[in-house]
Amino acid sequence: DTEVTQTPKHLVMGMTNKKSLKCEQHMGHRAMYWYKQKAKKPPELMFVYSYEKLSINESVPSRFSPECPNSSLLNLHLHALQPEDSALYLCASSQGLAGGQRYNEQFFGPGTRLTVL
Amino acid sequence: RKEVEQDPGPFNVPEGATVAFNCTYSNSASQSFFWYRQDCRKEPKLLMSVYSSGNEDGRFTAQLNRASQYISLLIRDSKLSDSATYLCVVEYNFNKFYFGSGTKLNVKP
């Protein structure tokens, strides 16, 4: 099973709402990632969890709050977002920090398309 | 300066053509290199890792030149289904990944 799942597929929220995006993988991967992708742009790294600990935060505003409850799950909690936060949010996973090219191959979920009104 | 640079294209080629994309990266400490393809409104999918010795997977060949800090992707005998955006991805500092802006390929009948 090489699948990463994400829910919901689409989300529309107001600037005062609180919502969460969810990501799940059952490949035994120990690194999980959140990316943001705007239209016609490449994905931009937001957060990296390695062995369930936050290892990279790419200076993301605090209105985005990641959480890794266990090695298979990754959440992104959203609060007080702005319209410019509307984008495709992609989750990915890779085997982990063991080293070597193969361990860094990332597999992406289908994404959550977020619209902030 | 961008971490990873690619020619955005588009590359418009006929079926059966051979097409090559290049990508340059700025950090000589980069550790891992990949090509992904992304179809419109879909997630990126891993096409192939790029190894120092070069590697081939069917019609696709990837090369890495560490001295000049570039990677390349060659597609032979292009198919209509190869039409997509091809993203060059470079990793360094343990799991910090940078994507190029992507090169759009249109394969025409």
Side-chain angles (χ1 to χ4, degrees), chain A residues 22 38 63:
Chain A
K22 296 187 184 302
K38 302 280 274 185
R63 57 187 185 267

Side-chain angles (χ1 to χ4, degrees), chain B residues 84-104:
Chain B
T85 295
Y86 289 82
L87 297 160
C88 167
V89 182
V90 174
E91 181 262 351
Y92 49 80
N93 284 350
F94 295 112
N95 292 17
K96 203 164 193 177
F97 291 84
Y98 291 97
F99 282 68
S101 55
T103 299
K104 190 166 172 56

Side-chain angles (χ1 to χ4, degrees), chain B residues 31-76:
Chain B
Q31 295 156 319
S32 303
F33 308 88
F34 309 90
W35 284 103
Y36 281 75
R37 69 169 278 167
Q38 188 170 26
D39 294 284
C40 190
R41 297 183 70 81
K42 297 282 192 181
E43 74 273 22
K45 288 194 192 296
L46 178 66
L47 183 65
M48 56 199 304
S49 294
V50 187
Y51 297 97
S52 297
S53 53
N55 46 301
E56 190 173 305
D57 183 2
R59 298 181 293 109
F60 300 86
T61 300
Q63 299 276 354
L64 166 64
N65 185 319
R66 284 190 185 270
S68 302
Q69 294 180 208
Y70 79 81
I71 69 174
S72 64
L73 177 68
L74 183 78
I75 306 176
R76 289 181 298 278

Side-chain angles (χ1 to χ4, degrees), chain A residues 43-55:
Chain A
E44 290 181 11
L45 186 64
M46 299 174 72
F47 301 105
V48 180
Y49 272 83
S50 177
Y51 292 81
E52 298 152 56
K53 290 193 180 345
L54 183 64
S55 59

